Amino acid sequence: QTQLVESGGGLVQPGGSLRLSCTASGFKLRDYPIGWFRQAPGNEREAVACIVSGGPTITYADSVKGRFTISRDYTKNILFLQMDNLKTDDTAVYYCARRRGANSVCTASASVFHDWGQGTQVTVSS
């Protein structure tokens, strides 16, 4: 059965670093667009980063460019999000998600991603 499980969240100080992991089962990460999303209280769910095989092609939200890095370990079937120079505004629940369908591409629209993990809390505070 298809499953995505996030881990690695926690409490960090501004300027600190954290690495999130998303372990996939039931499918191969390399075959689909996989994205990281986040949702803070009072905000809509927003796209953070996305990766799709074929180059790979990687996209980031403007707010995290230069600070976050998305990557995959194809051998272990794990998706990562390395977060550096964290800011208070990065506080949110972070989710990984898979988009299904032939010839799918990365998109900032959360509604087209069909499979989601349960999320992991990231809190940036002094």
Side-chain angles (χ1 to χ4, degrees):
Q1 184 68 31
T2 297
Q3 187 174 25
L4 296 166
V5 180
E6 302 95 336
S7 63
L11 174 65
V12 297
Q13 297 182 355
S17 298
L18 201 63
R19 189 176 78 160
L20 306 183
S21 299
C22 174
T23 301
S25 60
F27 70 96
K28 298 297 183 181
L29 286 172
R30 66 192 304 164
D31 295 333
Y32 303 90
I34 309 295
W36 284 100
F37 295 80
R38 67 185 182 186
Q39 187 165 21
N43 294 345
E44 296 182 355
R45 187 167 297 186
E46 65 174 339
V48 175
C50 188
I51 183 170
V52 61
S53 297
T57 299
I58 299 174
T59 57
Y60 295 98
D62 289 340
S63 60
V64 306
K65 287 182 179 178
R67 300 189 299 116
F68 290 10
T69 304
I70 187 172
S71 63
R72 296 178 183 178
D73 184 329
Y74 291 126
T75 300
K76 298 181 179 180
N77 212 37
I78 300 176
L79 176 74
F80 299 101
L81 183 67
Q82 177 66 43
M83 304 183 294
D84 298 317
N85 192 24
L86 284 162
K87 303 177 180 180
T88 300
D89 289 347
D90 295 320
T91 296
V93 177
Y94 284 71
Y95 304 87
C96 61
R98 177 184 74 157
R99 184 181 185 184
R100 298 180 183 179
N103 301 315
S104 294
V105 297
C106 284
T107 176
S109 178
S111 64
V112 304
F113 286 78
H114 300 115
D115 300 305
W116 295 81
Q118 82 288 347
T120 185
Q121 177 71 48
V122 173
T123 302
V124 184
S125 176
S126 60

